[in-house]
Amino acid sequence: MNMVEKEFIKFMGRFDQNPFEIVLNGEKHLIGEGEPTFSVVFNKVPPISELMTSTSIALGEAYMDGDIQIEGDLYHVLNMFLGQMGKFSTDQKKLKKLYFTSFSKQNQKKEVSSHYDIGNDFYKLWLDETMCYSCGYFKNDTDTLYDAQCNKVDRTLEKLQLQEGMSLCDIGCGWGFLLIRAAKKYKVHGVGITLSQEQKKEFERRIKAENLEEYLSVELLDYRDLPKLGKQFDRVVSIGMVEHVGRKNYEEFMKCAKSVLKPGGVFLLHYISSLVEHPGDAWVKKYIFPGGVVPSLREMINIAGDLRFYTVDVESWRRHYSKTLLCWNHNFQEHRDEVVKMFDERFARMWELYLCACAATFMNGIIDLHQIVFTNDVNNDLPMTRWY
């Protein structure tokens, strides 16, 4: 081994929680003690300087470029490895532009569009027919992905205690399945907002196809412009959106939700959370969710209290999201050749790494998923029991 390779093996030696094998130039190197739980072939060694700047980016790009070959199941390897993310090196000073992006409306629209406007045809390949791109809820071991997404929406709507004729605002409405189901099941009038042109276009098509123009509409709107709608809603819901606004804007987001919610109204917030405040993963910021930051549970609860949002229910769906991501990856693998034709091999490797890594980080408790039900000030009319 040359000096670079020796430094690399020494660096990787810190990840010894679960023994594994590195194969380099045909030679095997055991990391940790005991029988290796997985094996990784390095066709090219990432420079130590890059590993020290961001272990996540260096190893992530090596996988994307084909410099890393996994022997066996990618999720299994990541599930064994990513529980040690606390040992990753991250130089935030060198990554300043990546970690500290602009919170302007223009830039946040650009960041959101970079992910959600990849193309509806791409997402249709591996999402189920609901087109829900958020955590499903697996009530039964036999539930399909479609079942889990319907369960998620139904459970969410039950928590909102909807009644016919009520109004509902969905902040970050995606492709609109929740509002469509709410309108059909409860005959509520709903408005969805999104920053994605592709999502808006597909949602409008679905509204027309379901003959729900009387009940639903969708706006291309920044959450900070919610007050400009000039409407007050009985209920507000937001699923998988607050992660995009940035830590400095969490309070602004909550204030905007409150501004369009009637007194005593119910606000359900569904989001990827963390145990403690963390700036986020560098590779995910660079390639998947630019500007994205995961809030901790406690900081959202604290903000809510300051705004007189009463917390009436909190539920963790962490393992449900891990299973959802594995379902998505299964679908993705079935259509992988089509993804390569749409984009290229590097994009396909990037996306499968994203899906499997997220599944592993949820399973390891690095991130969580919480649904919180708030009331806008006191509401004594809701059931006293956990009604759902």
Side-chain angles (χ1 to χ4, degrees):
M1 283 195 300
N2 59 37
M3 187 60 67
V4 172
E5 291 169 343
K6 286 180 180 178
E7 287 183 350
F8 171 70
I9 295 297
K10 182 180 178 182
F11 178 89
M12 295 300 291
R14 66 175 69 179
F15 304 106
D16 58 358
Q17 181 177 311
N18 297 299
F20 70 100
E21 193 175 65
I22 290 176
V23 181
L24 194 58
N25 299 323
E27 187 177 339
K28 295 179 180 179
H29 305 270
L30 179 64
I31 305 296
E33 296 180 0
E35 191 70 22
T37 52
F38 60 90
S39 183
V40 183
V41 178
F42 280 84
N43 301 319
K44 183 181 176 183
V45 171
I48 292 297
S49 60
E50 293 182 11
L51 286 163
M52 292 301 295
T53 299
S54 172
T55 306
S56 179
I57 291 177
L59 294 179
E61 289 181 342
Y63 183 82
M64 289 162 60
D65 294 335
D67 295 336
I68 292 177
Q69 299 297 330
I70 300 297
E71 294 190 353
D73 181 70
L74 178 60
Y75 167 71
H76 169 73
V77 170
L78 292 170
N79 196 33
M80 293 291 102
F81 187 74
L82 290 181
Q84 305 174 83
M85 286 189 76
K87 299 176 183 178
F88 280 24
S89 293
T90 305
D91 189 334
Q92 288 193 29
K93 288 184 178 179
K94 289 185 179 179
L95 300 170
K96 187 177 180 180
K97 290 183 179 179
L98 193 64
Y99 272 95
F100 304 104
T101 59
S102 168
F103 293 114
S104 70
K105 291 178 183 178
Q106 182 180 6
N107 189 61
Q108 290 204 315
K109 185 178 188 304
K110 178 183 175 184
E111 289 176 343
V112 168
S113 295
S114 72
H115 187 88
Y116 296 97
D117 285 343
I118 290 173
N120 292 336
D121 290 342
F122 167 67
Y123 286 105
K124 285 176 181 177
L125 288 178
W126 51 274
L127 296 178
D128 66 285
E129 51 265 52
T130 69
M131 289 293 283
C132 282
Y133 186 25
S134 55
C135 178
Y137 190 84
F138 294 86
K139 291 171 66 174
N140 310 293
D141 291 340
T142 56
D143 282 347
T144 64
L145 177 60
Y146 174 79
D147 294 333
Q149 294 296 1
C150 290
N151 293 342
K152 179 265 296 294
V153 169
D154 288 343
R155 192 170 180 83
T156 301
L157 297 179
E158 286 168 8
K159 289 182 183 183
L160 287 169
Q161 288 285 290
L162 295 172
Q163 297 175 21
E164 184 174 342
M166 278 187 174
S167 55
L168 171 63
C169 178
D170 187 349
I171 306 173
C173 61
W175 288 277
F177 182 73
L178 181 142
L179 281 174
I180 289 170
R181 202 161 177 92
K184 291 169 76 172
K185 192 171 182 178
Y186 296 96
K187 291 184 169 56
V188 299
H189 295 271
V191 176
I193 71 164
T194 178
L195 287 177
S196 167
Q197 293 274 8
E198 288 288 300
Q199 288 182 340
K200 181 176 185 289
K201 182 172 67 176
E202 176 63 14
F203 190 7
E204 287 176 333
R205 185 196 68 77
R206 296 171 93 177
I207 290 171
K208 190 173 182 180
E210 297 280 359
N211 297 312
L212 292 172
E213 295 97 328
E214 179 186 345
Y215 291 95
L216 301 177
S217 63
V218 55
E219 303 280 346
L220 200 66
L221 194 74
D222 188 284
Y223 71 92
R224 286 165 285 195
D225 291 327
L226 271 170
K228 294 180 182 178
L229 284 177
K231 296 180 181 179
Q232 289 258 295
F233 297 88
D234 297 293
R235 303 289 188 259
V236 173
V237 64
S238 182
I239 294 180
M241 189 275 179
V242 72
E243 304 93 313
H244 295 290
V245 309
R247 180 154 278 120
K248 291 182 178 179
N249 282 357
Y250 294 157
E251 185 172 353
E252 180 71 15
F253 172 83
M254 296 290 279
K255 283 180 178 178
C256 288
K258 185 180 177 73
S259 73
V260 293
L261 185 61
K262 293 178 182 178
V266 179
F267 172 34
L268 186 144
L269 180 63
H270 168 126
Y271 70 102
I272 298 171
S273 61
S274 60
L275 196 62
V276 297
E277 297 72 38
H278 190 272
D281 178 73
W283 181 82
V284 171
K285 284 177 176 291
K286 184 173 181 179
Y287 288 103
I288 307 298
F289 292 115
V293 184
V294 174
S296 68
L297 177 61
R298 64 188 179 189
E299 64 186 321
M300 299 309 292
I301 296 290
N302 283 340
I303 292 168
D306 290 339
L307 298 177
R308 292 190 65 82
F309 270 127
Y310 277 71
T311 304
V312 297
D313 192 73
V314 180
E315 185 177 20
S316 169
W317 290 15
R318 178 176 61 82
R319 286 179 290 172
H320 291 274
Y321 215 162
S322 184
K323 190 168 183 177
T324 301
L325 283 150
L326 291 177
C327 288
W328 287 341
N329 185 56
H330 174 79
N331 293 346
F332 183 87
Q333 295 304 326
E334 288 192 334
H335 295 278
R336 196 180 188 283
D337 290 345
E338 294 166 73
V339 174
V340 172
K341 287 179 182 177
M342 278 184 177
F343 302 97
D344 56 28
E345 175 66 21
R346 192 173 192 262
F347 179 93
R349 289 177 72 86
M350 176 184 76
W351 211 262
E352 65 193 8
L353 180 60
Y354 152 58
L355 294 174
C356 290
C358 284
T361 50
F362 277 109
M363 188 55 69
N364 279 277
I366 295 165
I367 49 179
D368 205 324
L369 188 289
H370 280 99
Q371 271 203 352
I372 312 175
V373 179
F374 302 107
T375 59
N376 187 12
D377 219 304
V378 174
N379 182 328
N380 291 327
D381 295 325
L382 293 178
M384 290 170 64
T385 59
R386 209 177 199 195
W387 58 95
Y388 54 89

